[in-house]
């Protein structure tokens, strides 16, 4: 998918939990180990709906299961009797009668009996919830929480009502408090937190992305992007007859035409890594209807995508795709890039259509199969991904990246399927790829990720060292190596040093800021974490990435509010 960093396994655990789940030691790392930890907690805790009223705010339940009515001798006893009567109405579905009884219990209960009084408010809120009176639910739960600030049922019921009222910010704060109090062991509250964070992330990203200032990524990212294409005309160096130097001894109008070509100037700027001038030069070629209009449209669209302007890129891509007389490789490349854009916009059907169309019009283009294989991995269609990588390798046997990604696809399939023999086959495949293609940095990087999953930390570290030796300016590798130190040696200082090195190498590496923010959350430095997430947000290359980063940031911010309101501070590193 024209990505600069290796395709990573997709964990079943929401990524925002890396920011929220501060009770889990950082040494567990990222990815499959979190998924493993999550599956253990699911086994220990049920997921039943919290609907029924209760008799007490304490862990020990009240007397609603008793067969004898308590003796009514004092105001508290009379309040409990009214509550018990309300519980019977509630269980019979007579919610209005139940509300009357709970209201009577609240009126009778002595103010100093805060625990009992909070229970009566919470029970009345449960009845209002059945009537979908969300404002009343919030009001009664707020009374309950004021009396008992760590009342899980009241906090969670208020969170659900706040969601119904579209008050997602306060909903998130309440459900965050619930998750912390439950030690992240109840799937129901975790799912609500995940849902709200995704909604908030999408809303904020949509607005921010629409109004953001375009930002050119780092030269390293751009070079890595173009290196993922083997059959891309616009990323090839200027041909002998195209270079400006070649035009000096030419005469007449041909010389003038060549020198005035915006596209050829843009290509020259690419070789010089002067990327900021490329879009304007391509625009000159397009407006003059020059000889290289199709190439200029595709190159301009590519840089629009790189700066995060999908709206600007799409018309150019559409135009190239519809140019029946254009070079078929230009059209296929435009389809690959539009398909990747659709995938970033979470439109997998449109993405698949574009990749399939590219395969139809340029059947022997290895890039089509390479990038479609990555799409299939993201869609969990591993068998089809392997088939595409095989086709790419058949057309281009020296494609080390395709061979490494095929191994990774096979490894992921075996790992998630818990098939040890196939895992070993995939690991042997990595060994073969790194032996035959010792200059392929991404081969080592993908192998290192698989080795980390297998807890072969020492060898994974060696693979990352080889990546750094081949690509010393690849910031992403330093981030992965830093995470490895945390998981392997629990060496927080070295891990942070390596991630800081990544930012020093590439101050536009959003992955480094995101990872640093996640670690700072687990260290309890929430303000610093929020600052790191905001830096990553400003560098996000797609609206989808930005939404994910906003989710992390909102999770951290909610935690600061929970600490302020309720004094809830989970264990930190």
């Amino acid at each position: 998918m024209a990505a600069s960093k290796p395709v990573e396994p997709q964990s079943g655990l929401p990524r925002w939990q890396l920011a929220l789940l501060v009770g889990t030691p950082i040494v567990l790392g990222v990815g499959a180990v979190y998924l493993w930890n999550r599956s253990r907690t699911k086994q220990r805790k049920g997921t039943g709906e919290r609907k029924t009223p209760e008799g007490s705010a304490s862990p020990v339940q009240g007397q609603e299961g008793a067969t004898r009515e308590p003796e009514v001798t004092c105001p508290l006893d009379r309040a409990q009797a009214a509550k018990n009567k309300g519980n019977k109405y509630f269980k019979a579905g007579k919610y209005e009668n139940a509300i009357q009884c709970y209201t009577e219990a609240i009126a009778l209960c002595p103010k100093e009996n805060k625990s009992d009084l909070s229970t009566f408010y919470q029970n009345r809120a449960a009845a209002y919830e059945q009537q979908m009176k969300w404002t009343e639910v919030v009001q009664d739960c707020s009374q309950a929480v004021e009396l008992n600030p760590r009342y899980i049922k009241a906090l969670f019921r208020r969170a659900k009502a706040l969601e119904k009222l579209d008050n997602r910010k306060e909903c998130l704060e309440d459900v965050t408090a619930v998750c912390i109090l439950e030690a992240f062991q109840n799937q129901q509250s975790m799912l609500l937190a995940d849902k709200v964070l995704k909604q908030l992330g999408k809303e904020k990203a949509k607005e921010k992305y629409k109004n953001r200032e375009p930002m050119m990524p780092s030269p390293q990212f751009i070079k890595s992007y173009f290196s993922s294409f083997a059959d891309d005309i616009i990323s090839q160096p200027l041909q002998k007859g195209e270079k400006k130097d070649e035009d000096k001894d030419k005469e007449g109008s041909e010389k003038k035409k060549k020198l005035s070509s915006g596209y050829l100037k843009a290509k020259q700027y690419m070789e010089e890594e002067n990327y900021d001038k490329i879009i304007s030069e391509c625009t000159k070629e397009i407006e003059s209807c020059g000889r290289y209009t199709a190439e200029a449209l595709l190159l301009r669209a590519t840089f629009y995508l790189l700066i995060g302007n999908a709206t600007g890129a799409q018309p150019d891509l559409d135009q190239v795709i519809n140019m029946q007389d254009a070079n078929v490789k230009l059209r296929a490349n435009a389809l690959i890039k539009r398909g990747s854009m659709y995938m970033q916009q979470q439109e997998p059907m449109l993405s698949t259509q574009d990749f399939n169309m590219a395969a139809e019009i340029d059947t022997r283009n290895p890039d089509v199969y390479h990038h479609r294989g990555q799409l299939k991995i993201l869609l969990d269609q591993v068998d089809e991904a392997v088939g595409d990588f095989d086709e790419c390798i058949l057309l281009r046997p020296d494609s080390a990246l395709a061979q490494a990604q095929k191994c990774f696809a096979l490894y992921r399939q075996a790992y998630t399927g818990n098939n040890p023999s196939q895992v070993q086959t995939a690991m042997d495949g990595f060994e073969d790829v790194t032996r035959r293609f010792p200059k392929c940095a991404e081969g080592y990087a993908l192998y290192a990720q698989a080795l980390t999953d297998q807890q072969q930390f020492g060898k994974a570290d060696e693979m990352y060292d080889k990546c750094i030796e081949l690509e010393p300016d690849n910031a992403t590798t330093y981030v992965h190596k830093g995470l490895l130190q945390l998981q392997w040696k629990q060496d927080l200082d070295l891990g942070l040093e390596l991630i800081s090195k990544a930012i020093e190498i590439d101050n536009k590496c959003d992955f480094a800021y995101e990872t640093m923010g996640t670690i700072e959350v687990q260290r309890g430095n929430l303000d610093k974490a929020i600052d790191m997430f905001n830096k990553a947000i400003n560098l996000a290359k797609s609206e989808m990435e930005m939404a994910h980063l906003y989710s992390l940031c909102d999770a951290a911010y909610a935690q600061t509010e929970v600490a302020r309101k309720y004094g809830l501070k989970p264990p930190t590193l």
Side-chain angles (χ1 to χ4, degrees):
M1 303 285 291
S4 69
K5 56 190 177 185
V7 179
E8 300 185 37
Q10 302 297 304
S11 168
L13 182 69
R15 287 294 306 277
W16 63 264
Q17 198 176 333
L18 299 181
L20 197 59
L21 211 162
V22 296
T24 300
I26 189 66
V27 297
L28 290 178
V30 191
V33 183
Y34 276 106
L35 178 60
W36 173 81
N37 186 70
R38 180 74 178 84
S39 66
R40 287 177 52 192
T41 61
K42 284 169 66 177
Q43 292 172 6
R44 290 197 298 264
K45 202 77 173 179
T47 61
E49 180 75 44
R50 286 169 275 203
K51 287 183 178 178
T52 57
E54 59 184 333
S56 171
S58 65
V60 179
Q61 296 299 308
Q63 303 298 318
E64 55 262 45
T67 57
R68 294 173 54 192
E69 294 290 337
E71 184 179 353
V72 181
T73 58
C74 66
L76 180 59
D77 286 341
R78 283 184 285 151
Q80 290 285 1
K83 180 266 300 180
N84 290 339
K85 188 176 179 182
N87 286 354
K88 291 178 181 178
Y89 280 127
F90 186 100
K91 291 174 183 177
K94 298 179 179 180
Y95 303 116
E96 197 58 48
N97 292 337
I99 289 167
Q100 292 175 5
C101 291
Y102 295 140
T103 301
E104 182 182 352
I106 291 167
L108 289 168
C109 184
K111 302 305 179 187
E112 62 271 18
N113 293 91
K114 292 185 178 181
S115 178
D116 297 288
L117 191 55
S118 67
T119 301
F120 303 154
Y121 276 113
Q122 197 282 143
N123 284 11
R124 190 169 70 176
Y128 280 132
E129 182 181 50
Q130 295 300 313
Q131 296 180 326
M132 295 186 287
K133 294 181 177 180
W134 309 119
T135 301
E136 287 83 351
V137 172
V138 170
Q139 290 171 348
D140 274 3
C141 286
S142 295
Q143 291 285 352
V145 170
E146 187 176 337
L147 292 161
N148 181 0
R150 300 193 177 192
Y151 196 169
I152 292 175
K153 278 193 174 184
L155 283 166
F156 187 67
R157 182 158 277 120
R158 186 170 68 179
K160 290 187 292 181
L162 287 166
E163 186 206 5
K164 296 292 186 182
L165 294 169
D166 289 327
N167 188 340
R168 295 188 182 92
K169 179 179 176 293
E170 292 187 18
C171 167
L172 179 60
E173 291 172 13
D174 278 352
V175 77
T176 297
V178 171
C179 287
I180 293 171
L181 288 166
E182 295 176 332
F184 301 92
Q185 294 186 41
N186 189 301
Q187 190 177 21
Q188 191 185 6
S189 47
M190 294 283 285
L191 287 173
L192 178 58
D194 184 42
K195 178 183 176 183
V196 174
L197 280 165
K198 284 178 178 176
Q199 289 172 339
L200 283 170
K202 285 181 180 178
E203 288 174 3
K204 291 183 177 181
K206 186 174 183 179
E207 186 64 24
K208 170 84 171 181
Y209 199 76
K210 181 175 63 177
N211 299 314
R212 70 179 303 189
E213 286 293 323
M215 182 181 294
M216 190 68 68
S218 66
Q220 190 278 329
F221 181 92
I222 293 171
K223 286 186 285 186
S224 180
Y225 175 91
F226 280 111
S227 72
S228 67
F229 295 92
D231 210 1
D232 179 7
I233 293 173
I234 64 167
S235 65
Q236 301 304 316
L238 282 166
Q239 300 301 307
K240 184 177 180 181
E242 293 177 333
K243 288 184 180 291
K244 292 180 183 178
D245 293 343
E246 301 290 327
D247 293 323
K248 288 181 179 178
D249 36 355
K250 294 190 178 188
E251 302 293 334
S253 61
E254 182 62 21
K255 175 184 176 182
K256 185 176 180 182
K257 178 181 177 183
K258 291 257 183 167
L259 288 173
S260 64
S261 169
Y263 173 70
L264 293 182
K265 288 181 182 177
K267 292 272 284 186
Q268 190 72 35
Y269 286 135
M270 275 190 71
E271 291 187 10
E272 297 168 359
E273 297 184 16
N274 192 354
Y275 300 120
D276 288 325
K277 294 185 177 180
I278 288 173
I279 289 175
S280 61
E281 290 300 332
C282 288
T283 300
K284 291 177 185 177
E285 181 79 18
I286 295 162
E287 290 177 348
S288 66
C289 299
R291 172 183 171 187
Y292 300 103
T293 296
E295 290 87 346
L297 282 164
L298 182 55
L299 185 56
R300 185 172 73 173
T302 302
F303 272 87
Y304 275 144
L305 290 174
L306 285 167
I307 66 175
N309 184 1
T311 303
Q314 181 151 357
D316 287 354
L317 293 171
D318 292 345
Q319 192 170 339
V320 175
I321 290 164
N322 293 323
M323 284 181 172
Q324 298 300 320
D325 57 344
N327 187 313
V328 71
K329 294 199 176 299
L330 291 175
R331 295 175 63 213
N333 188 266
L335 282 162
I336 292 170
K337 289 170 180 172
R338 192 175 71 177
S340 298
M341 180 191 74
Y342 282 142
M343 194 60 198
Q344 287 185 329
Q345 295 171 347
Q346 301 183 67
E347 296 280 2
M349 289 184 63
L350 293 175
S351 180
T352 300
Q353 287 173 12
D354 274 359
F355 279 106
N356 292 346
M357 190 187 306
E360 288 174 10
I361 67 171
D362 195 7
T363 58
R364 299 192 60 77
N365 187 331
D367 291 341
V368 174
Y369 303 103
H370 176 198
H371 289 274
R372 189 170 68 177
Q374 294 188 56
L375 167 69
K376 297 299 185 184
I377 288 178
L378 293 174
L379 296 176
D380 285 323
Q381 297 170 3
V382 179
D383 289 338
E384 293 181 33
V386 170
D388 276 336
F389 290 136
D390 280 336
E391 189 66 29
C392 176
I393 293 164
L394 183 65
L395 292 167
R396 193 177 179 89
D398 62 344
S399 178
L401 181 55
Q403 301 206 37
Q405 288 180 334
K406 174 187 172 181
C407 287
F408 190 80
L410 290 170
Y411 167 75
R412 181 182 169 196
Q413 185 181 48
Y415 183 76
T416 56
N418 196 26
N419 190 322
S421 64
Q422 289 184 11
V423 166
Q424 188 56 53
T425 299
M427 302 299 278
D428 292 342
F430 277 122
E431 284 285 344
D432 182 58
V433 169
T434 54
R435 177 182 56 79
R436 290 190 292 121
F437 302 101
K439 301 297 184 183
C440 178
E442 290 205 62
Y444 293 114
L446 289 167
Y447 190 18
Q449 290 185 54
L451 287 165
T452 302
D453 279 343
Q454 298 301 304
Q455 299 189 7
Q456 297 182 42
F457 301 126
K459 193 167 184 179
D461 198 43
E462 291 175 14
M463 295 300 106
Y464 284 131
D465 284 340
K466 289 182 178 180
C467 288
I468 291 170
E469 183 180 337
L470 290 167
E471 293 183 350
D473 59 346
N474 190 327
T476 301
T477 305
Y478 284 92
V479 178
H480 281 297
K481 184 175 170 67
L483 287 169
L484 177 66
Q485 306 313 308
L486 296 173
Q487 186 172 346
W488 176 22
K489 298 179 179 179
Q490 297 82 52
D491 191 334
L492 183 62
D493 291 337
L494 179 56
L496 290 172
E497 180 184 331
L498 286 162
I499 298 167
S500 297
K501 176 70 172 176
I503 294 172
E504 180 184 328
I505 291 170
D506 181 3
N507 64 3
K508 294 181 179 179
C509 181
D510 55 325
F511 181 45
Y513 290 115
E514 174 190 344
T515 306
M516 186 73 82
T518 299
I519 294 171
E520 293 298 350
V521 168
Q522 298 212 19
R523 297 176 74 196
N525 300 329
L526 296 174
D527 289 339
K528 188 171 182 179
I530 291 168
D531 180 54
M532 291 292 107
F533 290 139
N534 279 322
K535 286 181 178 179
I537 286 166
N538 290 329
L539 295 167
K541 298 173 185 67
S542 70
E543 189 175 325
M544 183 172 68
E545 288 181 24
M546 189 179 283
H548 154 69
L549 290 164
Y550 266 121
S551 293
L552 293 175
C553 190
D554 286 338
Y557 180 76
Q559 201 166 299
T560 65
E561 290 300 292
V562 167
R564 181 180 64 82
K565 288 182 178 179
Y566 307 115
L568 290 172
K569 294 184 178 181
T572 57
L573 293 174

